């Protein structure tokens, strides 16, 4: 996956794993299949965290709504990040037709949250509280649950008895491990039973491992993907301590100054970044390093 310009000696290398994961491909295919059946579709929030994908679907007639009441008779598509059970229930109660593209990995995390809650555990979700997947997980975990990335935000009076920890699927393994270790060192005195469910997505992990390996062989890494995409941001966070790294959404954001003196340029991309966005970046890098 590397191309070397013999004249300039610049090598542009793609990570061994990058771009669309199976969950995102499946979600988009489900929408395209529904379009082929002439369904009018609205997605509840963006189907994936990538503006180019959202724009492409919009050109095909799929709009984004923020609330189920905006569906106006359209079929609602639930994103791969899933939904909380109360919103799903509301969709069903209002008899709105819907397409559920929730990824199987997210579904497993939802089941883990719900199982822990049913078994009487206080559920701690390692994740960004405002992220759609995490909002859904909180719904599945019920009232005795919290989501955070920072152990310091946990309330000592609630972390006692039975405590279960799981993660937003796209977090990094190292950070999840660190979080769990900190929970143990701060709260084990008051915890009777601690259950840790590994809900990290393997697809995400493969992209993170490939990004780190790429960073070690590069003197510049470009991470391509939506700024609101958690897994894309994590790729940049993993590469940054190793090598100069820039997170961009589109090829046009690459600055010539970044490339000065760089001979080994790496490119990686989040799980919601389409192939065409990656190819545009490679093409622009080729153009900017041609001479
Ligand atoms: S990143 Fe993982 S959890 Fe998220 S949609 Fe892709 S496969 Fe599913």
């Amino acid at each position: 996956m590397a191309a070397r310009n013999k004249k300039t000696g610049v090598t542009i290398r793609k990570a061994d794993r990058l771009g669309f994961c199976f969950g995102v491909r499946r979600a988009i295919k489900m929408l395209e299949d529904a379009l082929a059946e002439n369904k009018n579709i609205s997605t509840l929030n963006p189907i994936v965290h990538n503006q180019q994908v959202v724009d492409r679907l919009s050109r095909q007639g799929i709009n984004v709504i923020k609330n189920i009441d905006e569906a106006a008779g359209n079929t609602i598509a639930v994103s791969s990040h899933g939904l909380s059970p109360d919103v799903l229930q509301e969709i069903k109660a209002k008899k709105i037709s819907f397409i559920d593209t929730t990824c199987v990995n997210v579904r497993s995390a939802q089941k883990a949250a719900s199982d822990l809650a049913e078994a009487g555990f206080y559920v701690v979700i390692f994740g960004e509280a405002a992220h759609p997947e995490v909002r859904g997980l909180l719904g599945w975990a019920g009232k005795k649950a919290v989501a955070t990335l920072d152990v310091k935000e946990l309330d000592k009076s609630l972390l006692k008895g039975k405590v279960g920890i799981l993660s937003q699927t796209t977090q990094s393994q190292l950070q999840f491990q660190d979080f769990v270790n900190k929970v143990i060192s701060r709260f084990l005195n008051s915890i009777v039973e601690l259950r840790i469910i590994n809900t990290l997505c393997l697809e995400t992990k493969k992209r993170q491992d490939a990004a780190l390996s790429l960073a070690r062989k590069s003197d510049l890494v470009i991470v391509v993907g939506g700024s609101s995409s958690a897994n894309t941001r994590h790729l940049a966070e993993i590469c940054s301590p190793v090598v100069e790294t820039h997170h961009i959404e589109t090829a046009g954001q690459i600055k010539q100054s970044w490339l000065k003196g760089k001979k080994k340029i790496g490119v990686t991309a989040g799980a919601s970044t389409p192939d065409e966005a990656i190819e545009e970046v490679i093409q622009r890098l080729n153009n900017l390093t041609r001479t």
Side-chain angles (χ1 to χ4, degrees), residues 42-46 63-71 87 135:
S42 299
T43 66
L44 189 54
N45 300 314
N63 69 326
V64 179
I65 56 172
K66 290 213 165 103
N67 189 298
I68 59 174
D69 293 326
E70 296 167 34
V87 182
R135 289 206 308 267

Side-chain angles (χ1 to χ4, degrees), residues 59-163:
R59 288 193 292 275
Q60 292 174 268
I62 297 178
N63 69 326
V64 179
I65 56 172
K66 290 213 165 103
N67 189 298
I68 59 174
D69 293 326
E70 296 167 34
N74 282 1
T75 295
I76 287 183
V78 172
S79 87
S80 52
H81 296 126
L83 279 183
S84 68
D86 52 332
V87 182
L88 277 174
Q89 195 50 46
E90 199 183 341
I91 292 174
K92 286 178 192 164
K94 291 188 171 166
K95 298 198 182 344
I96 300 170
S97 73
F98 71 103
I99 302 164
D100 188 356
T101 76
T102 306
C103 174
V104 288
N105 292 343
V106 175
R107 176 88 65 228
S108 298
Q110 291 174 341
K111 185 169 181 319
S114 152
D115 289 350
L116 284 170
E118 265 180 38
F121 284 77
Y122 179 72
V123 180
V124 178
I125 299 164
F126 175 65
E128 297 160 59
H131 189 281
E133 179 195 323
V134 179
R135 289 206 308 267
L137 290 176
L138 280 168
W140 288 93
K143 291 200 164 53
K144 286 171 58 188
V146 66
T148 183
L149 290 169
D150 186 353
V151 174
K152 291 193 207 106
E153 287 178 4
L154 293 173
D155 182 343
K156 190 170 180 359
S157 68
L158 297 171
L159 264 87
K160 59 186 182 195
K162 291 162 80 169
V163 174

